[in-house]
Amino acid sequence: MSTTQSERLRGLLEPLVSAQQLDLEEIEVSRAGRRGVLRIIVDSDEGLELDACAELSRAISQKLDETDAMGEGEYVLEVSSPGADRPLTEHRHYVRATGRLARFHLTGDGSGELVARILAVDEDGLDLEVPGVKGRKPTARRLAFDEIAKARVEIEFNRKDKKEEEA
């Protein structure tokens, strides 16, 4: 997708996404045979409900039908959440991942990998809990954003969600 098309689509769709109190994370245009595929990735602090996704999809479809932003060819519109394997790149991504286990690839002298639970996020970095190994207690660690080369949430199959913890 060209930069101008991406910018035009972002300018066109961002107000629709914001009106639903969602964040526009990504716009991707690709080909699937003769059809184009427009993939819109949105998220919010509370997560993405299926009804909100369907409502946003209808609003985006209507807006795209009113304009020529996708050209004259056929295309498929997909509106979805980022999924579990999305990299953490923005401050809001780390805030949303609070309480989750994450894998960090570190820069500089601390280079290497670190797997830790995100406890708190502020403007400068993260407060983490590094799980103990072989029966040892977890340890606290502070990680500044400039020490992080890449980060991604780790999938936990036995993790209790917030609702279960509150019950």
Side-chain angles (χ1 to χ4, degrees):
M1 171 169 66
S2 70
T3 303
T4 54
Q5 184 183 24
S6 175
E7 290 169 357
R8 184 171 180 211
L9 284 168
R10 184 167 285 278
L12 188 67
L13 302 179
E14 191 115 49
L16 297 173
V17 174
S18 296
Q20 302 238 356
Q21 286 80 44
L22 299 172
D23 295 315
L24 179 57
E25 296 291 346
E26 188 177 339
I27 296 175
E28 179 186 316
V29 176
S30 59
R31 302 276 332 146
R34 293 185 294 165
R35 291 186 188 164
V37 177
L38 174 59
R39 191 169 289 116
I40 309 293
I41 308 296
V42 295
D43 203 3
S44 79
D45 291 342
E46 293 79 34
L48 188 60
E49 296 288 328
L50 188 57
D51 290 343
C53 194
E55 186 177 326
L56 179 61
S57 180
R58 285 189 292 274
I60 288 173
S61 180
Q62 182 178 352
K63 179 60 92 174
L64 292 174
D65 288 348
E66 294 169 1
T67 68
D68 66 345
M70 288 301 294
E72 295 298 316
E74 292 181 19
Y75 67 92
V76 174
L77 173 63
E78 296 177 5
V79 178
S80 68
S81 65
D85 63 344
R86 176 211 33 216
L88 304 174
T89 58
E90 303 284 335
H91 184 270
R92 68 178 179 264
H93 298 163
Y94 290 99
V95 171
R96 290 174 184 159
T98 299
R100 305 285 307 269
L101 199 62
R103 180 174 304 274
F104 302 92
H105 296 271
L106 307 176
T107 62
D109 295 338
S111 65
E113 260 189 14
L114 171 67
V115 176
R117 189 166 309 280
I118 301 171
L119 298 178
V121 181
D122 60 34
E123 295 304 315
D124 300 317
L126 313 169
D127 292 327
L128 305 172
E129 179 183 75
V130 180
V133 180
K134 295 184 181 177
R136 294 189 180 155
K137 291 185 178 181
T139 56
R141 177 158 178 188
R142 176 76 182 167
L143 192 60
F145 286 119
D146 62 3
E147 296 177 83
I148 303 170
K150 292 189 313 186
R152 201 178 288 275
V153 169
E154 288 282 288
I155 305 299
E156 296 179 85
F157 293 106
N158 59 350
R159 178 179 170 261
K160 291 181 180 178
D161 68 11
K162 291 177 188 174
K163 290 177 185 166
E164 287 179 37
E165 290 172 2
E166 292 170 0

